[in-house]
Amino acid sequence: MAVTFPRRPAQGPPGEQEPDADQPQRRRRFNWTQAAPYLLILPAVAFELLVHVIPMIVGIFMSFLQLTQLYIANWSAAPFTGAGNYGVALDFSGPLGWQLLRSFGITLGFTVLVVGISFVFGMSASLVLHRLGRGRGFLRTLFLIPYALPAYAGIIVWKFILQRDNGLLNQLLVDGLHLASERPFWLIGGNAFVSVVVVSIWQQWPFAFLMSMAGMQVIPEELYQAAAIDGASTWQQVRHITLRMMRPINAVLILLLFLWTFREFNTPYVLFGPTPPESADLLTVHIYSSSFITWNFGLGSAMSVLLMLFLVVVASLWALWNRRVNRDA
């Protein structure tokens, strides 16, 4: 017959008291050290929500409404159209869709030209100044002036330069150098595309120069000295040392230039106003005109969402490519 004895309570070391189960647990004190990172980032998160996230959500909601001037005073009365605005924007056989596609093509060509030429100018200037002794500080300051000037002030100066009758460019071409018999238009017609490309390059290339110059400062000088001892020419040093070691910086630089240039708004708007010439109808100004000139905010919001999705796809493809390059390196 089995006998079960009552279990004795476990005894700890002498002098140690067991915790009383009936005593309420102590409340944890507020730890400022652990909470400090969250408190410091809280204003930035609130500002990001207020400035970017909430307006973006409102814009996406507007893209599903037939929000025209008839309903601008009362958004709740605007009919829900679903994907109707997206269908109009992507119907390339229709007039609005075709105009959007044409604007997309112009913006893509504008972006490729501005990014490519700005990158070449920035890298070339950095390579020259990296090896230059005297005068490097003066030239570096001179090159960064367009980037330091307020954007609107610089573009307005270019607008005066490109005027047909009193502009400095036509004064130089027609009256000074006698290269043309008539004063060409630079702010209307086909030359408007050339004008917006030139002004944008003037604004963008100092940033490419600044990034390239900063990247070259961290390349060890011993690599160039060893390459020179081995008989490498200047071009071989640039190709196999400078460009190879600056590949991560150049990848980020090209992505930033592409994103900034593709959604460029200040330059075409200040040069041409809200209704630019057909040759310079960039996508951001086209969306602005669709929203605030024709008072079709629903269609304009749909175009903005499509633009955002395109840039997200570009950034995602760049991230995948950059990850593969870093993995294979």
Side-chain angles (χ1 to χ4, degrees):
M1 179 177 179
V3 178
T4 303
F5 295 95
R7 181 176 297 178
R8 293 183 178 179
Q11 295 181 355
E16 181 177 350
Q17 297 181 355
E18 296 181 0
D20 190 0
D22 298 334
Q23 184 179 358
Q25 294 183 354
R26 292 182 177 179
R27 294 182 179 177
R28 293 184 178 178
R29 295 182 178 178
F30 186 80
N31 193 332
W32 283 98
T33 304
Q34 295 180 353
Y38 301 99
L39 294 177
L40 291 176
I41 203 174
L42 187 61
V45 173
F47 189 76
E48 180 69 17
L49 289 173
L50 185 64
V51 175
H52 288 115
V53 177
I54 295 178
M56 184 176 64
I57 294 174
V58 173
I60 294 174
F61 175 72
M62 288 170 56
S63 66
F64 296 105
L65 300 178
Q66 190 179 354
L67 188 59
T68 60
Q69 58 180 344
L70 301 177
Y71 307 99
I72 193 63
N74 186 11
W75 287 23
S76 60
F80 183 78
T81 60
N85 289 324
Y86 293 94
V88 173
L90 297 176
D91 182 13
F92 301 134
S93 60
L96 297 178
W98 184 83
Q99 291 175 4
L100 181 65
L101 181 62
R102 183 196 63 191
S103 179
F104 177 81
I106 294 172
T107 307
L108 191 60
F110 163 79
T111 303
V112 171
L113 286 175
V114 172
V115 172
I117 297 175
S118 298
F119 179 76
V120 171
F121 280 6
M123 281 295 298
S124 302
S126 300
L127 289 171
V128 172
L129 293 190
H130 187 61
R131 295 293 182 182
L132 192 64
R134 299 180 59 182
R136 183 170 63 177
F138 172 75
L139 291 177
R140 184 188 303 170
T141 306
L142 182 66
F143 291 162
L144 291 178
I145 287 178
Y147 194 67
L149 284 176
Y152 280 93
I155 300 170
I156 288 174
V157 170
W158 272 102
K159 189 172 183 178
F160 282 109
I161 293 175
L162 297 172
Q163 292 291 326
R164 178 179 181 271
D165 296 328
N166 302 319
L168 180 62
L169 182 60
N170 280 345
Q171 291 282 345
L172 179 64
L173 294 178
V174 178
D175 300 333
L177 301 177
H178 303 287
L179 295 178
S181 58
E182 296 182 358
R183 298 176 182 274
F185 290 96
W186 295 103
L187 298 178
I188 59 176
N191 291 334
F193 181 77
V194 178
S195 299
V196 72
V197 168
V198 170
V199 177
S200 297
I201 292 172
W202 177 80
Q203 282 190 315
Q204 297 283 3
W205 87 268
F207 178 74
F209 162 72
L210 187 65
M211 291 282 289
S212 304
M213 197 71 187
M216 291 181 187
Q217 301 296 323
V218 299
I219 300 177
E221 188 65 24
E222 291 78 6
L223 294 178
Y224 294 105
Q225 296 174 358
I229 294 174
D230 292 338
S233 62
T234 303
W235 167 243
Q236 289 175 332
Q237 294 179 22
V238 171
R239 179 184 175 187
H240 296 290
I241 298 177
T242 306
L243 295 181
R244 182 177 293 274
M245 296 199 68
M246 289 191 60
R247 185 179 298 173
I249 298 176
N250 290 337
V252 176
L253 173 62
I254 291 176
L255 176 67
L256 291 177
L257 287 177
F258 186 91
L259 296 179
W260 291 346
T261 306
F262 200 88
R263 55 184 177 86
E264 175 65 32
F265 178 80
N266 294 332
T267 303
Y269 185 80
V270 176
L271 281 179
F272 311 119
T275 53
E278 186 175 313
S279 63
D281 185 22
L282 300 185
L283 199 53
T284 51
V285 183
H286 184 83
I287 294 173
Y288 175 85
S289 301
S290 300
S291 300
F292 293 95
I293 302 300
T294 61
W295 294 89
N296 194 340
F297 294 95
L299 181 61
S301 300
M303 293 178 180
S304 299
V305 173
L306 293 174
L307 171 62
M308 181 186 68
L309 292 177
F310 173 74
L311 294 180
V312 168
V313 170
V314 171
S316 301
L317 293 176
W318 176 90
L320 292 175
W321 169 80
N322 191 46
R323 180 183 299 178
R324 177 176 299 179
V325 170
N326 293 332
R327 183 181 58 192
D328 297 338

